[in-house]
Amino acid sequence: MGGVQEQTQHEDSHNSNKSNGCENSFSSQSHPTKHEKTHDGQKPYQCPECQKCFTHKSSLIHHVRIHTGHKKYQCTECQKSFSLKGLLTEHERTHTGVKSYQCTECQKSFSLKGLLTEHERTHTRVKPYQCTECQKRFSLKGHLTKHERTHTGVKPYQCTECQKRFRLKGHLSQHERTHTGQKPYQCSECQKRFSHKASLIFHEKIHTGLNPYQCSECQKSFRWKFCLIKHERTHTGLKPYQCTECQTRFSQLGHLTRHKITHTGYKAYQCSECKKRFRCKFHLIRHERIHTGQKPYQCTECQKSFSLKSSLALHERTHTGERPYQCTECQKSFIQKGHLMEHKLTHTRDKPYQCSKCPKSFSWKASLIKHEGIHPGKKPYQCTECQKSFSQKSNLTKHEITHTGYKPYQCSKCPKGFICKASLITHVSAHTGERPYQCTECQKSFSLKGQLTQHKKTHTGDKPYQCSECQKTFAWKTSFDQHIRTHTGERPYQCTECQKTFAWKTSFARHKKTHTGDKPYQC
């Protein structure tokens, strides 16, 4: 009889350790009482500092240490202190390397039971935590807590240095390093240090050269998964991010974030040197290099330096010959995406850019800007040396070189140098006799494509340059420019020897020989 009574008492101990209303079981008799409070929503323990309430007294004690900063548990190995004993126990395993919790599915081991529980959900796909606002589900409670702040806007973590607030503690920790300059993560290969662990992980892949993520469409490989995801959208055309203001869609979240600022007009980033403001921080950083002259990106092949990483990437393709952007219509490849977009218009014959002064239209905006320069009027780009003005910035840049005497393009056959690459090509053809561009109408050949384009006008009779003063038309811009001077009286070419001025460059060149005594033509 005594044995039956003992068995009955033992069975009651199992039943008493079950929580009413759910199937959870507990090893301790006090645990069901604590657990039942989670069902009825009781939170009898309140923090006197911030009024936050807790279900269990132990949770309140742990929380209070956030306010007091009390960390009573210290690691004997590295003297780091913790507010909770459990956190110390977890930390100590980083020294011992003990991983006592093993996944039965894949045998991966973990130092913490919580990490094993989280990992097992990658096999089961269980997502027990659901947002009551949008019904999105999460496998981890911490992820749900972080997500809920996107709805409430709560930013509980504040920087004591500048009072900036953050939704996540990790973001605050990263931000604080901008004040301290701390870089705790070091590359074992080159000793470069980083303030964020993610930055170190990204960096380490540079040494391994591994590109483990491959596009199934074109076989291009990437170091990082997020780069592959972005790349795949170029094939699918997927643009998952939509602006709620104007419904424009974007393939990347960063592009949408930058776009949203265009609606507000807010420019949060200001240059301390010239007070110019920018919407994006990287635009400010790029702008500041104009003042500092900094060019941090260097080509390993020729040591040329660039202020922008994108400029270096484009430059490197001149060494590798890489042309990643291919036309699906004719298979022609291009170094830059913009060049491909411009090229595609040659297949569609679309000319969306129209001149406001005349009926002429263009496939490319750059062509329209160049064309607008033929109409007399605005010349916003002025040389600080001689005050000559130009309608295009590129023409001013070329002109400024004439003052420095710098001739970057040198002939390999003779010591002669040139300011423009086109002039060098024309000169080299005098040595080689090469004239690769042939007119299909009369078979005349030319060393430059531009020369052939100008020549073709003699067959078509096309005269796109018209004088607004007398309506006379011209086939070539040089002839047009010279004609305009007959109306304006402009004489831009001045002899440094006698100060005489000339309207045409050829007249100026002939005059200079009267001072030098040069007589190049022999009978």
Side-chain angles (χ1 to χ4, degrees):
M1 187 72 182
V4 174
Q5 188 176 2
E6 286 176 6
Q7 183 178 354
T8 303
Q9 288 174 349
H10 174 73
E11 287 171 348
D12 289 343
S13 72
H14 285 299
N15 294 331
S16 66
N17 289 347
K18 272 200 168 185
S19 175
N20 294 330
C22 73
E23 296 301 316
N24 285 326
S25 297
F26 303 90
S27 58
S28 173
Q29 196 167 359
S30 62
H31 288 175
T33 305
K34 291 180 180 179
H35 174 75
E36 283 170 359
K37 291 175 183 175
T38 65
H39 292 296
D40 59 25
Q42 287 184 58
K43 293 186 177 182
Y45 303 101
Q46 188 177 40
C47 172
E49 188 74 29
C50 66
Q51 284 70 54
K52 190 172 182 180
C53 295
F54 299 88
T55 306
H56 309 304
K57 189 176 181 179
S58 58
S59 300
L60 172 61
I61 293 169
H62 294 161
H63 168 78
V64 167
R65 290 177 188 153
I66 296 173
H67 298 298
T68 62
H70 183 49
K71 295 183 178 182
K72 61 184 288 188
Y73 303 100
Q74 189 176 45
C75 173
T76 55
E77 188 75 29
C78 66
Q79 284 69 55
K80 191 171 182 180
S81 297
F82 300 87
S83 57
L84 303 177
K85 189 175 181 180
L87 295 178
L88 171 62
T89 304
E90 292 174 2
H91 167 78
E92 286 174 333
R93 289 179 185 147
T94 63
H95 296 299
T96 62
V98 173
K99 294 184 177 181
S100 52
Y101 303 99
Q102 190 177 44
C103 174
T104 56
E105 188 76 27
C106 66
Q107 284 68 55
K108 191 171 183 179
S109 296
F110 299 87
S111 57
L112 305 176
K113 189 176 181 180
L115 294 179
L116 171 61
T117 304
E118 292 174 2
H119 166 78
E120 286 173 333
R121 288 176 187 149
T122 64
H123 297 300
T124 62
R125 306 293 182 188
V126 173
K127 294 185 176 183
Y129 305 101
Q130 188 176 31
C131 174
T132 55
E133 188 74 28
C134 66
Q135 283 67 56
K136 191 172 182 179
R137 302 189 74 91
F138 300 87
S139 57
L140 305 178
K141 190 176 181 180
H143 290 175
L144 171 60
T145 303
K146 291 173 186 176
H147 166 78
E148 285 173 333
R149 289 175 189 152
T150 63
H151 296 300
T152 62
V154 172
K155 295 183 177 182
Y157 303 101
Q158 188 176 33
C159 174
T160 56
E161 188 75 27
C162 65
Q163 283 67 56
K164 191 172 181 180
R165 303 189 74 92
F166 299 87
R167 280 201 289 265
L168 306 178
K169 190 176 181 180
H171 291 173
L172 170 61
S173 299
Q174 290 178 0
H175 167 78
E176 286 174 332
R177 290 175 194 144
T178 63
H179 296 300
T180 62
Q182 186 187 13
K183 294 184 176 182
Y185 304 101
Q186 187 175 33
C187 174
S188 57
E189 189 75 28
C190 67
Q191 283 66 56
K192 190 173 181 180
R193 303 189 74 91
F194 300 87
S195 55
H196 310 316
K197 190 175 182 179
S199 301
L200 171 61
I201 293 169
F202 277 20
H203 167 80
E204 286 174 332
K205 289 179 179 176
I206 295 170
H207 295 300
T208 62
L210 291 176
N211 291 331
Y213 303 100
Q214 190 177 43
C215 174
S216 58
E217 187 75 28
C218 65
Q219 283 68 55
K220 191 171 182 179
S221 297
F222 299 87
R223 281 198 188 108
W224 303 296
K225 190 175 181 179
F226 77 91
C227 291
L228 171 62
I229 292 169
K230 287 180 182 179
H231 166 79
E232 286 174 332
R233 289 173 188 154
T234 63
H235 297 300
T236 62
L238 179 65
K239 294 183 177 183
Y241 305 102
Q242 187 176 31
C243 174
T244 55
E245 189 76 26
C246 65
Q247 282 65 56
T248 304
R249 301 190 74 91
F250 299 88
S251 58
Q252 296 179 37
L253 181 60
H255 294 173
L256 171 60
T257 303
R258 288 197 292 268
H259 165 79
K260 282 180 176 178
I261 299 171
T262 62
H263 293 299
T264 64
Y266 182 55
K267 295 182 178 181
Y269 304 99
Q270 187 177 36
C271 174
S272 59
E273 189 75 27
C274 66
K275 310 304 180 238
K276 190 173 181 180
R277 301 190 74 91
F278 300 87
R279 291 192 183 99
C280 305
K281 190 176 182 179
F282 80 90
H283 286 167
L284 170 62
I285 293 169
R286 197 163 64 181
H287 166 80
E288 287 174 331
R289 290 175 187 151
I290 297 171
H291 298 299
T292 62
Q294 186 188 14
K295 294 184 176 182
Y297 304 102
Q298 189 176 42
C299 174
T300 54
E301 189 74 27
C302 66
Q303 283 67 56
K304 190 172 182 180
S305 296
F306 300 86
S307 58
L308 304 178
K309 191 175 182 180
S310 57
S311 299
L312 171 62
L314 291 174
H315 167 79
E316 286 174 332
R317 289 173 188 159
T318 63
H319 296 299
T320 62
E322 184 189 8
R323 290 172 172 258
Y325 303 101
Q326 189 177 43
C327 175
T328 54
E329 190 76 27
C330 66
Q331 282 67 54
K332 191 172 181 180
S333 297
F334 299 87
I335 291 173
Q336 298 183 40
K337 189 177 182 180
H339 292 172
L340 170 61
M341 300 304 289
E342 290 177 354
H343 166 78
K344 282 181 175 178
L345 295 172
T346 62
H347 294 300
T348 62
R349 303 297 176 189
D350 189 21
K351 293 185 176 183
Y353 302 102
Q354 188 171 21
C355 177
S356 58
K357 302 282 180 71
C358 70
K360 197 162 186 182
S361 297
F362 300 87
S363 300
W364 306 298
K365 191 175 182 179
S367 300
L368 170 62
I369 293 169
K370 286 182 181 179
H371 164 79
E372 286 174 333
I374 71 171
H375 296 294
K378 192 177 179 183
K379 292 186 176 182
Y381 304 102
Q382 189 177 44
C383 174
T384 56
E385 189 74 28
C386 66
Q387 283 68 55
K388 189 175 180 180
S389 296
F390 299 87
S391 57
Q392 298 170 37
K393 190 176 182 180
S394 58
N395 290 344
L396 170 61
T397 304
K398 290 175 186 175
H399 166 78
E400 286 174 331
I401 298 171
T402 62
H403 293 300
T404 63
Y406 179 53
K407 295 184 178 181
Y409 302 99
Q410 193 163 18
C411 176
S412 59
K413 306 279 185 182
C414 70
K416 199 165 184 181
F418 300 88
I419 293 168
C420 305
K421 190 175 183 180
S423 301
L424 172 62
I425 294 169
T426 304
H427 168 78
V428 168
S429 66
H431 292 297
T432 62
E434 186 182 6
R435 291 171 176 259
Y437 301 100
Q438 190 177 44
C439 175
T440 55
E441 191 74 29
C442 66
Q443 282 68 53
K444 191 172 182 180
S445 297
F446 301 88
S447 56
L448 295 176
K449 189 177 181 180
Q451 291 172 344
L452 171 61
T453 303
Q454 288 188 350
H455 166 78
K456 282 180 177 178
K457 291 171 184 173
T458 62
H459 297 298
T460 63
D462 185 24
K463 294 183 177 183
Y465 304 100
Q466 187 176 36
C467 175
S468 59
E469 191 74 29
C470 66
Q471 281 66 54
K472 191 172 182 180
T473 56
F474 300 86
W476 300 289
K477 189 174 185 295
T478 51
S479 302
F480 170 69
D481 289 339
Q482 288 177 4
H483 168 79
I484 289 293
R485 290 173 194 146
T486 63
H487 295 297
T488 63
E490 183 188 10
R491 300 168 77 88
Y493 304 102
Q494 187 175 35
C495 176
T496 55
E497 193 75 30
C498 65
Q499 281 68 53
K500 191 173 181 180
T501 56
F502 300 87
W504 298 291
K505 193 175 182 179
T506 51
S507 302
F508 176 44
R510 282 198 301 268
H511 167 79
K512 286 197 290 188
K513 290 169 187 172
T514 63
H515 294 296
T516 61
D518 187 21
K519 295 182 178 180
Y521 304 104
Q522 190 174 24
C523 177

